């Protein structure tokens, strides 16, 4: 009778998980009840949680996966009997492709590896890993992250991690050659999940020194891995920055795991060239990974017979300063002189945005001529660094130069620094007095409004003036007026903090 009462109470709490008003209380109650749950109620509770299969709210799906993680930690014996259903449910949740749900699935996979896999025979462990890897092969990045968590779970218990490494060691010996064969394909988008899994294996090798055979198998494939990372940086899709970041992180992990291995020494020059290329990437996460890799590599040894000072002196002597050659007439980057700048400026922009523009200006930038600013902008755009080009144009205080950058560059502000965003939005206010040129700012404002976090980082005073400017521009004829009205409504309806 007591069991039925307890089961009914659990069923009530599970049903309340799908209600927005009671989901928090239900989650806390179930999380506390799981730790004291009788063994005979583990299966009924799980069967109740997985129905319905697709709850309406994503928060409900996340909470159910988090409860499964708690269940694996508190009731490993009962979960071992439900291994197939748990695996199937996690893979189904991964197909939601929602960040929080995927994070919860990764945590549940880590709990499975540490608490449930020790109770399973080796064959079942291999089957579970194979199921997740097959799901990863259909371009499910979340499944690849779960494979990484199953191979290298997050824990501070070194003994448990060592026991887990010994448990998955036979699987890794046969798994590594299979994974590396994916680099034979030229579909570079498929490399990202492979990089992540190999990185987790490298971390496992580093943290568990006893896995010598796994370390030898991984080090054997280092030339192939380095070539794959280089291919991604050279020929991969530009927008797939996560792929490049994971490749650089993998190289860093391999260098940390094998600091004195022969393969590391032989490939150091090639890895340094890869890191140098990553340092000029447009995405800041890639640049950060490349900088960390360069810092770990250290300076390359000089191959010249000259000493360091003599080499530097000879290099400087062979590169004398030269007067810059004049640009050909009619160049699209030639700008008007400072005395010919438009006298019309926005008093609001000057008052609100000037501090941000001053923060952008490097020491000595005030001594540069208008043409030097234009040359630097052109070089920055040729390198693909749009943020740097905009910063130079903003510091130059040349509205014509800024307009050319806005017109030629593709709007992309998600990786801009807060100071750049504030100065750029303040510069947009100048276009209030030249409405015929104002539409060139609309794509940039639209790109900004797509990211709530970026909007919150802009000075509220600038946003207020920008909203007023867009309202005034709604009188423009044609689609420009409609675009201004749409942006004004989006900006006006944003949630305020």
């Amino acid at each position: 009778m007591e069991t039925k009462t307890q089961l009914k109470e659990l069923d009530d709490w599970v049903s309340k998980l799908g209600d927005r008003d009671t989901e928090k209380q239900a989650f806390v109650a179930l999380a506390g009840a799981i730790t004291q749950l009788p063994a005979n109620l583990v299966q009924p509770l799980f069967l109740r949680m997985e129905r319905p299969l697709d709850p309406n709210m994503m928060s409900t799906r996340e909470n159910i996966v988090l409860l499964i993680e708690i269940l694996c930690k508190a009731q490993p014996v009962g979960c071992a009997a439900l291994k197939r259903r748990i695996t199937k449910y996690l893979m189904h949740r991964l197909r939601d492709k929602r960040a929080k749900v995927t994070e919860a699935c990764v945590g549940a996979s880590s709990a499975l590896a540490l608490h449930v896999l020790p109770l399973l025979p080796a064959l079942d462990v291999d089957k579970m890993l194979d199921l997740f890897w097959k799901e990863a092969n259909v371009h499910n990045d979340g499944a690849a992250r779960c494979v990484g968590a199953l191979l290298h779970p997050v824990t501070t218990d070194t003994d448990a991690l060592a026991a887990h490494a010994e448990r998955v060691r036979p699987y890794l010996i046969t798994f590594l050659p299979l994974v590396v064969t994916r680099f034979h394909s030229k579909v570079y988008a498929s490399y990202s999940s492979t990089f992540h899994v190999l990185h987790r294996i490298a971390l496992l090798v580093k943290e568990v020194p006893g896995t010598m055979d796994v370390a030898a198998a991984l080090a054997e494939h280092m030339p192939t891995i380095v070539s794959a990372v280089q291919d991604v940086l050279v020929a991969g899709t530009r927008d797939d920055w996560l792929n490049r970041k994971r490749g650089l992180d993998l190289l860093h992990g391999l260098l940390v795991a094998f600091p004195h291995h022969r393969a590391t020494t032989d490939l150091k020059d090639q890895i340094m060239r890869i890191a140098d290329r990553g340092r000029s990437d447009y995405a800041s996460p890639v640049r950060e990974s490349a900088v960390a890799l360069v810092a770990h590599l250290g300076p390359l040894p000089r191959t010249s017979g000259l000493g360091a000072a003599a080499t530097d002196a000879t290099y400087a002597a062979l590169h004398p300063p030269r007067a810059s050659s004049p640009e050909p007439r009619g160049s699209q980057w030639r700008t008007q002189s400072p005395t010919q700048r438009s006298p019309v400026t926005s008093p609001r922009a000057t008052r609100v945005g000037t501090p941000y523009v001053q923060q952008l200006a490097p020491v000595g930038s005030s001594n540069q001529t208008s043409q030097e600013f234009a040359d630097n902008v052109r070089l920055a755009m040729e390198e693909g660094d749009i943020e740097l080009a905009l910063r130079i144009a903003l510091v130059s205080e040349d509205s014509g130069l800024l307009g050319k950058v806005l017109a030629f560059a593709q709007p992309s502000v998600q990786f801009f620094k807060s100071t750049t965003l504030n100065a750029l939005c303040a510069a947009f206010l100048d276009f209030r007095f030249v409405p015929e040129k104002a539409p060139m700012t609309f794509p940039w404002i639209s790109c900004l409004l797509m990211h709530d976090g970026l909007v919150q980082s802009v000075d509220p005073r600038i946003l207020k003036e920008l909203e007023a400017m867009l309202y005034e521009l709604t009188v423009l004829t044609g689609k420009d007026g409609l675009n201004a009205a749409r942006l004004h409504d989006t900006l006006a309806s944003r949630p305020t903090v």
Side-chain angles (χ1 to χ4, degrees):
M1 186 66 181
E2 183 180 353
T3 302
K4 291 184 178 180
T5 304
Q6 191 173 6
L7 185 59
K8 184 179 184 304
E9 183 179 357
L10 291 173
D11 188 76
D12 291 340
W13 283 120
V14 171
S15 63
K16 292 179 180 179
L17 277 175
D19 190 345
R20 192 179 300 276
D21 296 330
T22 58
E23 63 173 340
K24 291 184 179 180
Q25 296 89 335
F27 178 80
V28 173
L30 287 170
I34 285 175
T35 57
Q36 302 175 355
L37 196 66
N40 61 332
L41 293 182
V42 173
Q43 183 173 355
L45 175 61
F46 178 80
L47 294 178
R48 180 63 185 87
M49 286 194 302
E50 68 174 356
R51 298 194 310 267
L53 189 59
D54 294 317
N56 294 328
M57 297 190 301
M58 284 296 166
S59 59
T60 305
R61 304 181 186 189
E62 178 193 3
N63 288 335
I64 291 175
V65 177
L66 291 174
L67 289 173
I68 292 175
E69 179 183 356
I70 299 173
L71 198 64
C72 291
K73 294 178 180 178
Q75 305 288 342
V77 177
C79 291
L82 296 168
K83 58 183 182 299
R84 292 183 180 178
R85 299 189 72 96
I86 292 176
T87 302
K88 183 179 178 180
Y89 185 80
L90 291 179
M91 287 194 294
H92 183 77
R93 285 279 73 85
L94 287 171
R95 295 174 185 176
D96 293 336
K97 295 188 176 180
R98 294 294 187 270
K100 291 185 178 180
V101 178
T102 301
E103 289 290 343
C105 290
V106 173
S109 300
S110 185
L112 275 173
L114 290 173
H115 302 281
V116 178
L117 291 189
L119 305 176
L120 300 177
L123 184 60
D124 288 345
V125 174
D126 295 352
K127 287 182 179 179
M128 182 180 295
L129 287 165
D130 285 338
L131 286 174
F132 278 104
W133 183 242
K134 287 180 181 178
E135 185 70 17
N137 286 336
V138 295
H139 298 285
N140 192 332
D141 187 72
R145 294 177 59 190
C146 288
V147 172
L150 287 169
L151 295 176
H152 177 248
V154 178
T155 179
T156 56
D157 189 347
T158 56
D159 294 335
L161 187 61
H164 174 75
E166 181 62 26
R167 193 178 307 115
V168 298
R169 182 182 59 81
Y171 179 81
L172 287 176
I173 297 299
T174 58
F175 179 66
L176 275 172
L178 178 65
V179 174
V180 176
T181 56
R182 298 186 68 177
F183 294 141
H184 297 164
S185 168
K186 294 304 179 183
V187 183
Y188 300 119
S190 64
Y191 288 10
S192 181
S193 57
T194 309
F195 287 156
H196 177 75
V197 172
L198 289 174
H199 187 205
R200 302 293 295 194
I201 296 174
L203 293 176
L204 182 67
V205 170
K206 173 183 175 294
E207 296 178 12
V208 184
T211 54
M212 300 302 296
D213 46 357
V214 178
L218 184 59
E220 179 183 352
H221 298 292
M222 276 191 66
T224 305
I225 295 172
V226 173
S227 298
V229 176
Q230 186 173 19
D231 290 342
V232 167
L233 264 71
V234 173
T237 306
R238 183 176 184 272
D239 293 337
D240 193 4
W241 60 267
L242 182 61
N243 198 0
R244 299 191 293 276
K245 173 179 169 55
R246 284 180 171 176
L248 293 171
D249 289 340
L250 171 59
L251 294 182
H252 193 186
L254 291 174
L255 292 177
V256 173
F258 309 108
H260 306 296
H261 197 276
R262 180 179 178 181
T264 303
T265 306
D266 295 341
L267 298 169
K268 186 176 181 181
D269 292 352
Q270 185 179 359
I271 295 175
M272 177 61 83
R273 290 193 295 270
I274 294 173
D276 283 338
R277 188 179 185 90
R279 290 170 64 185
S280 60
D281 197 275
Y282 85 97
S284 58
V286 181
R287 295 197 299 270
E288 291 171 1
S289 297
V291 169
L293 181 58
V294 171
H296 182 83
L297 284 169
L300 285 175
R302 296 177 183 264
T303 57
S304 173
L306 298 175
T311 301
D312 293 339
T314 304
Y315 183 86
L318 294 174
H319 292 74
R322 304 177 188 274
S324 58
S325 58
E327 287 283 332
R329 298 190 63 180
S331 171
Q332 63 177 353
W333 291 104
R334 183 168 297 279
T335 61
Q336 55 191 0
S337 64
T339 58
Q340 295 176 338
R341 293 177 189 164
S342 175
V344 181
T345 57
S346 169
R348 291 187 177 90
T350 303
R351 183 173 65 252
V352 177
T354 298
Y356 295 102
V357 177
Q358 291 174 348
Q359 293 179 38
L360 297 180
V363 177
S365 62
S366 59
N367 298 326
Q368 297 187 33
T369 65
S370 180
Q371 187 56 46
E372 288 174 341
F373 277 120
D375 292 340
N376 291 332
V377 167
R378 176 173 53 81
L379 291 174
M381 293 193 68
E382 288 176 354
E383 292 291 333
D385 196 338
I386 304 303
E387 181 179 7
L388 178 59
L390 285 171
R391 290 166 73 95
I392 296 172
L394 290 168
V395 171
S396 71
E397 299 182 358
D398 189 336
S399 59
L401 182 59
L402 177 62
K404 290 176 181 177
V405 177
L406 295 177
F408 282 101
Q410 180 179 0
S412 178
V413 299
Q414 59 266 36
F415 298 113
F416 283 10
K417 296 180 180 178
S418 175
T419 309
T420 307
L421 285 175
N422 279 279
L424 182 61
C425 291
F428 287 162
L429 302 180
D430 289 337
F431 290 90
R432 168 182 289 180
F433 300 95
V434 279
E436 66 277 5
K437 296 183 179 180
M440 72 172 61
T441 66
F442 292 170
W444 294 85
I445 298 175
S446 178
C447 183
L448 172 66
L449 296 179
M450 291 173 60
H451 306 278
D452 293 336
L454 296 179
V455 178
Q456 298 296 336
S457 65
V458 180
D459 193 319
R461 297 172 298 171
I462 298 178
L463 290 177
K464 184 177 180 181
E465 296 293 338
L466 193 61
E467 181 181 337
M469 182 193 78
L470 291 171
Y471 180 77
E472 295 177 4
L473 294 176
T474 56
V475 299
L476 294 175
T477 59
K479 65 178 183 180
D480 293 335
L482 295 176
N483 289 335
R486 177 180 60 83
L487 293 174
H488 172 266
D489 292 342
T490 304
L491 188 58
S493 61
R494 77 187 191 283
T496 56
V497 180

